[in-house]
Amino acid sequence: MPAVLKAPLVVEFPFTRSLGPVQSAFLTGLRDRVVLGVRTGDGRTLVPPVEYDPVTAEEIHDLVEVAPTGTVTTWAWNHHPRRGQPLSAPFAWVLVRLDGADTALLHALDAPGPDTVHTGMRVRVRWAEDRAGAITDIACFEPYDGDAAEPTGHSGEFGDPVTGIVAAARLDYTYSPGRAQTAYINALSERRNVGERCPSCRKVYVPPRGACPTCGLATSEQVEVGPAGTVTTFCIVNIKAKNLDIEVPYVYAHIALDGAGLALHGRIGGIPYDQVRMGLRVEPVWTEGGRYPDHYRPTGEPDADYETYKELL
Ligand SMILES: [Zn+2]
């Protein structure tokens, strides 16, 4: 039994969001070194602000400035800061209730060690040198033993408000495909398609997941399928994907490899997009060093009879 594969994977994309009037004022305020909260119907001040009263669900927009000093209400020590976190050296995650606010804001506290942090300790904002209208305009909090700072009396009105932000979403993780897909991937490295057959319903799963979801049984019998197959259904792609060097329009299809009990996905090439059809017989095209077929092209055989693939749509 060969070792089960695993590999680091990263999913990353920029998430663009527009800001309503309240979040716009909050982030624009940070750019100008002012912290704004919002007043609820019962007179509480929420920082960070929200657009709807959490009790009554009424829309709220009464902005009120709070101080850049506050009190830690709870905390946790971060021993190993990760990429993209506010500080590169170990720090505390803290909830800080700023002076004048009734709720607490999550941020980082720059402190020499966990024994120097406690609930109730006084802190103040350390502003980032370059500020653009984002929560990172607060670089972090730092210990502070003075009195509450006075708000500047800002009205919450700005001449050039920030109206949108781009948040880079990123997920780093280790993926292990498990025993069945490891065998599938290893076979692909020899340009072979190996699925697994269910011992009960005899369906051949490609790629195999290690179990038959219909019968609830583990699969282990390996079955080589393909390399040719039949287009069971398809779509024409007209939108060019970022970072993907394929001219549109092109066809993406469900392809039932010969002997497989379900269809897999693949791009169809070597034929004009408007001539692709259900039943078209195709074979894989590999590129040098490719770990899976680059696309599938027509074999030149007559089309498959609908009866042979109607269960594989
Ligand atoms: Zn089954």
Side-chain angles (χ1 to χ4, degrees):
M1 169 71 66
V4 170
L5 296 172
K6 63 178 178 180
L9 290 188
V10 177
V11 178
E12 188 173 35
F13 58 93
F15 181 76
T16 304
R17 75 161 274 186
S18 57
L19 303 169
V22 171
Q23 301 298 333
S24 169
F26 176 62
L27 295 181
T28 307
L30 297 184
R31 185 195 65 191
D32 296 356
R33 307 192 358 159
V34 170
V35 185
L36 294 167
V38 70
R39 188 110 56 194
T40 62
D42 60 7
R44 292 182 308 137
T45 299
L46 310 183
V47 179
V50 295
E51 285 132 344
Y52 293 92
D53 189 309
V55 177
T56 65
E58 291 292 317
E59 188 174 343
I60 48 177
H61 39 67
D62 184 10
L63 296 165
V64 45
E65 187 187 354
V66 298
T69 53
T71 302
V72 171
T73 63
T74 190
W75 61 281
W77 190 252
N78 181 8
H79 294 270
H80 304 290
R82 305 191 63 178
R83 180 185 182 279
Q85 291 189 335
L87 297 167
S88 53
F91 64 90
W93 289 113
V94 284
L95 280 173
V96 176
R97 190 174 59 237
L98 292 170
D99 296 323
D102 292 290
T103 55
L105 171 79
L106 174 67
H107 219 294
L109 171 65
D110 185 8
D115 51 348
T116 66
V117 184
H118 60 272
T119 294
M121 77 183 283
R122 297 283 295 159
V123 295
R124 70 176 167 196
V125 169
R126 180 189 297 165
W127 296 104
E129 213 150 283
D130 298 318
R131 294 179 308 280
I135 191 63
T136 46
D137 290 353
I138 296 177
C140 62
F141 282 85
E142 59 191 19
Y144 169 72
D145 55 13
D147 295 332
E150 285 297 320
T152 64
H154 201 283
S155 66
E157 296 285 332
F158 298 92
D160 53 342
V162 175
T163 56
I165 56 170
V166 178
R170 181 182 163 109
L171 184 62
D172 282 275
Y173 62 106
T174 302
Y175 177 69
S176 177
R179 173 199 58 78
Q181 285 199 79
T182 290
Y184 172 74
I185 292 168
N186 284 336
L188 271 184
S189 69
E190 301 164 3
R191 301 193 174 185
R192 297 186 302 124
N193 280 288
V194 175
E196 286 188 351
R197 192 193 312 273
C198 172
S200 175
C201 68
R202 312 299 291 161
K203 187 168 176 176
V204 175
Y205 288 92
V206 186
R209 304 290 183 198
C212 174
T214 307
C215 306
L217 292 172
T219 59
S220 59
E221 182 194 346
Q222 297 196 338
V223 181
E224 183 162 347
V225 301
T230 300
V231 170
T232 65
T233 186
F234 64 93
C235 69
I236 298 170
V237 179
N238 286 293
I239 298 171
K240 194 165 169 59
K242 203 175 173 186
N243 303 329
L244 196 58
D245 190 23
I246 302 171
E247 285 307 312
V248 292
Y250 64 88
V251 172
Y252 211 67
H254 269 185
I255 300 159
L257 297 179
D258 295 342
L262 77 171
L264 46 71
H265 304 264
R267 182 168 64 88
I268 306 297
I271 178 173
Y273 71 92
D274 56 358
Q275 291 178 30
V276 176
R277 54 200 180 267
M278 294 171 72
L280 181 69
R281 295 283 298 155
V282 292
E283 63 188 4
V285 177
W286 295 81
T287 51
E288 191 59 41
R291 290 178 295 177
Y292 47 86
D294 177 70
H295 65 277
Y296 290 77
R297 69 181 171 207
T299 62
E301 298 165 88
D303 286 0
D305 183 41
Y306 180 66
E307 292 298 313
T308 65
Y309 64 85
K310 68 176 184 183
E311 300 297 329
L312 304 175
L313 302 179

